[in-house]
């Protein structure tokens, strides 16, 4: 275990710690982000279990009454980020955004609980979180799967966490830009504009926000009202895995009704995932629900599907697909195929490597018996840190650090990877 790297990673978390929540990095992202917090809690849990539970509890303190957990909580005012609370207009006492993010919390809570040294505290705090996480999962299937397919749709690219993925290009072209109020981006003043989404994409992001705000953020209406309705295999895999893990945790805690509900969500989702398989690419792909067709895009979203309990043959194929990508990249796993014409190794989700996705893919492959590829991904993740520090993301060929620096969830993943090398979960 590399104690020097763990110590550096802990220093990053300390720098971004605001007491009861962390910011992803100072300047670029000055608020609390949803899946950042859940994944960051995994890092805290290795040396401060109480702080890990607090991170997640703070997130759920801002859960909406219908069960949704928003993707940003604006704890303190900071004009260094756009779009801020005034653009979202959600009218919450503590302002939040109006959309959500990948629901990785069920997975994180189960893992923190299973490893807990303070079992009494873990049981008390997990028991309190259990119905709230379950309410969020039910919200997804109620509001984002109105036809009961077993798979949910995202209605804004930001919900996926993969904001400017090539997966969205065709569907995103349907989103208009007329009527978008003038705005001044802040992200490009903190990071190289060549690493960020384009201004044209940003106009469409904001059009969707304005559109949903005009509907009063009524979640029963937003799915059908959005011109962007995408079934993302990676997003669904995270939800399915969290449902499965919540089922196991609920069973341990004697919450049999939550366990049964969660197990049913996971089983239906796993069965439905096969509709997203693409034989030609040898991986899962997105489904454009608005257009009624698969998206032929070789992105990391289809590889992240391995995070949930896909059939072993599919997991083996995903591992083989990653091995093919390794022929054109030095570091796994690029967020888009480097041989594809749309690939851009420096621009956000159009090519770079992200440690959080590496971690989830690796974890799923280990569960599926693909330990060799999982180890290769873990090794590449640590090599990137050694070469380029704790960046937001990295070029998969040159290892150039991109986006924000001293990044919380990157540091948390280093702590998690190095600690679990020593004592696997």
């Amino acid at each position: 275990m590399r104690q020097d790297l763990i110590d550096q990673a802990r220093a990053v978390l300390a720098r971004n710690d605001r007491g009861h929540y962390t910011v992803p990095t100072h300047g670029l992202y000055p608020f609390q982000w949803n899946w950042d917090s859940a994944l960051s809690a995994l890092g805290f849990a290795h040396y401060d279990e109480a702080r890990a539970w607090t991170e997640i509890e703070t997130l759920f303190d801002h859960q909406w009454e219908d069960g949704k957990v928003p993707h940003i909580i604006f704890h303190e005012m900071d004009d260094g980020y756009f779009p801020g609370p005034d653009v979202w207009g959600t009218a919450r006492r503590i302002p939040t955004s109006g959309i959500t993010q990948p629901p990785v919390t069920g997975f994180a809570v189960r893992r923190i609980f299973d490893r807990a040294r303070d079992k009494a505290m873990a049981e008390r705090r997990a028991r309190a979180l259990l119905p709230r996480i379950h309410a969020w999962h039910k919200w997804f299937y109620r509001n984002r799967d109105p036809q009961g397919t077993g798979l949910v749709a995202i209605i804004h690219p930001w919900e996926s966490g993969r904001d400017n993925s090539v997966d969205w290009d065709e569907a995103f072209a349907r989103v208009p830009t007329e009527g978008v109020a003038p705005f001044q981006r802040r992200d490009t003043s903190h990071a190289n504009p060549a690493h960020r989404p384009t201004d044209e994409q940003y106009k469409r992001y904001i059009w969707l926000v304005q559109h949903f705000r005009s509907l009063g953020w009524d979640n029963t209406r937003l799915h059908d009202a959005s011109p962007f309705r995408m079934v993302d295999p990676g997003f669904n895999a995270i939800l399915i895995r969290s449902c499965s893990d919540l089922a196991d945790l609920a069973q341990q805690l004697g919450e049999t009704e939550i366990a049964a509900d969660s197990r049913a969500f996971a089983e239906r989702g796993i069965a439905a995932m096969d509709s997203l398989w693409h034989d030609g690419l040898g991986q899962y792909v997105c489904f454009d629900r608005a257009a009624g067709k698969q998206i032929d895009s070789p992105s990391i979203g289809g590889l992240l599907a391995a995070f949930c309990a896909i059939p072993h043959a599919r997991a083996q194929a995903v591992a083989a697909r990653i091995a093919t990508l390794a022929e054109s990249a030095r570091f796994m796993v690029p967020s888009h195929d480097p041989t594809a014409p749309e690939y851009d190794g420096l621009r956000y989700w159009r090519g770079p490597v992200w440690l959080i996705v590496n971690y989830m893919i690796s974890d799923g492959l280990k569960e599926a018996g693909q330990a060799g590829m999982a180890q290769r991904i873990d090794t590449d993740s640590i090599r990137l840190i050694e070469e380029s520090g704790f960046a937001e993301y990295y070029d998969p060929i040159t290892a150039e650090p991109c986006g924000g620096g001293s990044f919380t969830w990157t540091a948390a993943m280093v702590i998690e990877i190095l600690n679990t090398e020593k004592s696997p979960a």
Side-chain angles (χ1 to χ4, degrees), residues 165-402:
S165 171
V166 176
D167 293 352
W168 322 138
D169 287 358
E170 184 179 338
F172 214 35
R174 292 196 300 267
V175 176
T177 58
E178 294 80 12
V180 172
F183 60 84
Q184 180 64 49
R185 292 175 63 177
R186 307 292 185 182
D187 59 319
T188 49
S189 66
H190 295 289
N192 187 336
H195 299 173
R196 309 296 297 171
T198 65
D199 284 347
E200 196 60 30
Q201 287 168 324
Y202 243 81
K203 290 176 186 176
R204 289 176 164 81
Y205 297 147
I206 301 305
W207 186 93
L208 286 170
V209 171
Q210 292 180 179
H211 179 51
F212 300 151
R213 187 182 63 200
S214 75
L215 297 172
W217 295 108
D218 180 350
N219 283 298
T220 65
R221 301 171 63 193
L222 300 189
H223 174 279
D224 291 350
S226 180
F228 181 90
R229 300 192 298 278
M230 193 67 64
V231 180
D232 176 6
F235 190 101
N236 275 275
I238 291 170
L239 175 56
I240 291 165
R241 175 68 180 271
S242 281
C243 286
S244 178
D245 283 346
L246 200 72
D248 291 344
L249 180 57
Q251 197 68 48
Q252 288 185 66
L253 296 176
E255 298 288 348
T256 54
E257 187 174 335
I258 291 178
D261 277 359
S262 299
R263 186 73 61 208
F265 285 149
E267 290 175 353
R268 188 163 69 247
I270 288 290
M273 281 285 286
D274 220 50
S275 67
L276 304 180
W277 185 257
H278 191 294
D279 281 324
L281 293 174
Q283 65 169 77
Y284 294 87
V285 296
C286 295
F287 180 80
D288 184 341
R289 188 172 277 172
K293 66 175 186 177
Q294 283 191 342
I295 303 298
D296 295 343
S297 176
S299 85
I300 204 166
L303 306 176
L304 182 52
F307 188 49
C308 69
I310 56 176
H312 276 58
R314 296 294 195 217
Q316 186 174 13
V318 167
R321 173 73 182 134
I322 296 171
T324 299
L325 293 174
E327 296 171 6
S328 50
R330 286 177 57 218
F331 298 91
M332 293 296 97
V333 179
S335 50
H336 202 72
D337 185 340
T339 67
E342 312 89 358
Y343 167 82
D344 184 338
L346 296 175
R347 196 179 290 277
Y348 220 38
W349 288 95
R350 301 178 78 86
V353 175
W354 295 73
L355 255 66
I356 48 124
V357 182
N358 274 10
Y359 168 73
M360 287 187 280
I361 293 173
S362 171
D363 186 86
L365 290 177
K366 288 170 189 170
E367 295 280 336
Q370 299 295 321
M373 180 52 73
Q375 181 59 51
R376 183 173 183 176
I377 293 169
D378 290 348
T379 299
D380 278 6
S381 295
I382 301 306
R383 286 173 55 224
L384 277 168
I385 302 301
E386 292 171 332
E387 194 160 327
S388 301
F390 295 88
E392 185 177 0
Y393 47 98
Y394 308 84
D395 186 292
I397 296 170
T398 68
E400 180 178 339
C402 303

Side-chain angles (χ1 to χ4, degrees), residues 19-263:
H20 57 290
Y21 69 95
T22 51
V23 298
T25 189
H26 177 74
L28 182 58
Y29 301 111
F31 308 111
Q32 183 180 21
W33 260 258
N34 185 323
W35 70 325
D36 293 68
S37 274
L39 293 166
S40 298
L42 290 172
F44 278 120
H46 287 285
Y47 61 95
D48 190 342
E49 291 181 15
R51 181 65 185 80
W53 289 112
T54 297
E55 185 76 22
I56 295 173
E57 289 161 353
T58 301
L59 178 65
F60 276 82
D61 283 345
H62 301 275
Q63 185 172 28
W64 286 28
E65 290 74 15
D66 64 359
K68 177 177 72 178
V69 182
H71 96 294
I72 305 173
I73 297 102
F74 300 101
H75 291 285
E76 298 178 1
M77 300 314 297
D78 189 318
D79 62 5
Y81 178 82
F82 175 86
D86 56 329
V87 178
W88 291 98
T90 55
R92 309 290 298 175
R93 186 179 64 83
I94 302 296
T96 75
S97 65
I99 58 174
T100 191
Q101 260 189 336
V104 73
T105 312
F107 158 78
V109 165
R110 190 266 177 102
R111 182 144 291 186
I112 293 167
F113 177 88
D114 285 351
R115 294 175 178 165
R117 295 171 293 280
D118 188 335
K119 296 296 185 184
M121 179 179 69
E123 179 168 343
R124 183 179 72 254
R125 299 177 84 162
R127 193 178 291 280
L129 283 165
L130 199 67
R132 303 172 79 174
I133 298 170
H134 184 47
W136 188 22
H137 293 171
K138 289 192 292 184
W139 175 88
F140 273 112
Y141 289 110
R142 185 171 65 248
N143 291 284
R144 299 300 183 79
D145 184 22
Q147 301 303 314
T149 67
L151 299 173
V152 304
I154 57 170
I155 61 171
H156 193 297
W158 286 343
E159 290 195 317
S160 69
R162 301 187 297 117
D163 301 12
N164 67 331
S165 171
V166 176
D167 293 352
W168 322 138
D169 287 358
E170 184 179 338
F172 214 35
R174 292 196 300 267
V175 176
T177 58
E178 294 80 12
V180 172
F183 60 84
Q184 180 64 49
R185 292 175 63 177
R186 307 292 185 182
D187 59 319
T188 49
S189 66
H190 295 289
N192 187 336
H195 299 173
R196 309 296 297 171
T198 65
D199 284 347
E200 196 60 30
Q201 287 168 324
Y202 243 81
K203 290 176 186 176
R204 289 176 164 81
Y205 297 147
I206 301 305
W207 186 93
L208 286 170
V209 171
Q210 292 180 179
H211 179 51
F212 300 151
R213 187 182 63 200
S214 75
L215 297 172
W217 295 108
D218 180 350
N219 283 298
T220 65
R221 301 171 63 193
L222 300 189
H223 174 279
D224 291 350
S226 180
F228 181 90
R229 300 192 298 278
M230 193 67 64
V231 180
D232 176 6
F235 190 101
N236 275 275
I238 291 170
L239 175 56
I240 291 165
R241 175 68 180 271
S242 281
C243 286
S244 178
D245 283 346
L246 200 72
D248 291 344
L249 180 57
Q251 197 68 48
Q252 288 185 66
L253 296 176
E255 298 288 348
T256 54
E257 187 174 335
I258 291 178
D261 277 359
S262 299
R263 186 73 61 208

